[in-house]
Every structure is written in structure tokens, then in C-alpha cells.
Amino acid sequence: MIELEHVTKTFNDGETYAVRDVSLHIAEDETLVLLGGSGCGKTTTLKMINRLIEPTSGTIRVDDCDITQQDVLALRRSIGYVFQDIGLFPHLTIRENTGMVLRLSGWAPDRRATRVDELLELMGLPPAEYADRYPRQLSGGQQQRVGIARALAADPRYLLMDEPFGALDAVTREQLQTELLRIKRELNKTIVFVTHDLFEAVRLGDRIAVMNEGCIEQIDEPETIIASPETEFVAELFGHATQQAERFLAGGAA
């Protein structure tokens, strides 16, 4: 369980609010999507959960423990993190990239190799074919699969995903969304997922938190938000997307 209570983040000596008084309760095995445009505070909120960014005020708890009372490196290693730009080390093989967290955590080489093989199989990257390749030898979608495998390496209960599919083409993006749903069913992870794509949010999220100017406009199940938007901003956001979808289905310009 992850809890945020009245969390605020400011910059420029308190003059600029990135996140303002955000409270969230993320349940076990839930996928919560933080949805919003550029600068709305969604990535800052995500990064505060594992202390890549420190909150200015408020409290964040993971498993009922205040994150500020935990060793920051131990906290980050206990929570999987997937970046939009993937962040693979170009000079390391896929096996080495995937097992990086395990090596830092002191896993024995044989145990590490077995776990890496399991993860690559899970992600549809047979080790015999892919483990000894380098990132440059993989497609963007395959590299992102390695990024997800690396985040899952130590079997964390929590997975933070910062627009992980945002730089991929539409077909690859849809394929990886499907893979993520499959992994979620198989592994029962609690996921916080950041995106600006409304359709991705609706497809992946058990609940969606719509953010705007550092605040949460509405948080609920996708069907409820679509049927009963609580603010003008949410109504316009989902209404515009619906109009785009209707034009696309009708063969018009999106």
C-alpha cells in the first residue's frame, strides 16, 4: 500500500508549485494511472514516491512506513522503476542490464543468471537469442521490454512507470500495453503509471487520477470518470477525446 497525505512540492524557494496538497491511497495489486498534460505534476508525484524528488511538505508512506525514515538506496531498490527513455547502459549486454539491480544487491552470479533468464522469458525475449546482445541491437519495443524486466528483477511489490511507452510507435505501444496487462495478472503488482494519453489510461488503470496544475481534479474508476466528470477540466478532457475517437471511427480527421 502506498499513501500520500497532503503532499506538496515547490521550487524556486516556494514560489513555484509543482504539486499542491495531493492525497492518494493506492491499494495492493491496483494500477493507479496519473493522467495529465505536460507540467501538471504527475511525474513529480511519481518521483516523490521513491525519493528521486523530495517532497516539500506532507507525508508519503510505503507499507505504513514513512519513506523519509527509510534508507533512500534501499527504498529505491525495493521499488521497480521504468523510465520513458528506458535508460539501458549501452556498453552492457541485455543480461547485464537486466541483472544490474541484482548485482548491486549482492545476488550470487548463478542465482542472478537464473533470475535474468526467467525475466527475459517473461518478456518474450528468449535468453539464448537476446541475453548477449547489446541495446543498440534491439528495437525500441524490445529495449523497453528489457527496461521492464530490469524493474521486475528483485521481484518488487511496487512498480513505478513514467510514461514508459510514450516514445514508441502506436503498434508497439499497444503491444506493450497488452504485455503489461498480462504481467499484472501473472505477478499481482501494485503499479503507479504516468501517462498523458487518455486512451492508455482508460485501458490500463483500475483507477485514474486526473491531474491539472499540480492538483488532482478527480480520482475514480475510468467508467465513473467518463460517465460523471466532477470538474469542467475533466469534462473537457474526456469530451475532447471522445470527439476525436468518434471522428476517427467515422473516417474523418482526428
Side-chain angles (χ1 to χ4, degrees), residues 18-19 57 69 82 94 97 110 121 150 254:
V19 173
S57 62
Q69 304 303 311
V82 183
I94 298 309
N97 268 285
D110 288 350
E121 289 285 0
R150 180 180 58 187

Side-chain angles (χ1 to χ4, degrees), residues 201-235:
V202 170
R203 186 180 188 201
L204 298 179
D206 296 312
R207 289 189 301 153
I208 299 172
V210 182
M211 297 193 69
N212 180 39
E213 296 183 349
C215 300
I216 294 178
E217 294 270 343
Q218 184 172 352
I219 179 169
D220 217 318
E221 296 176 355
E223 297 83 357
T224 301
I225 293 179
I226 292 169
S228 304
E230 294 179 354
T231 69
E232 182 178 348
F233 175 84
V234 176

Side-chain angles (χ1 to χ4, degrees), residues 73-84:
L73 292 179
L75 174 70
R76 291 175 186 167
R77 290 176 186 172
S78 71
I79 301 175
Y81 199 105
V82 183
F83 301 86
Q84 178 178 357

Side-chain angles (χ1 to χ4, degrees), residues 10 36 41 65 71 111 125 129 166 181 193 198 225 242 250:
T10 62
C65 182
D71 177 78
R111 184 186 177 205
L125 299 170
E129 183 177 354
L181 290 170
F193 190 102
L198 186 147
I225 293 179
T242 299

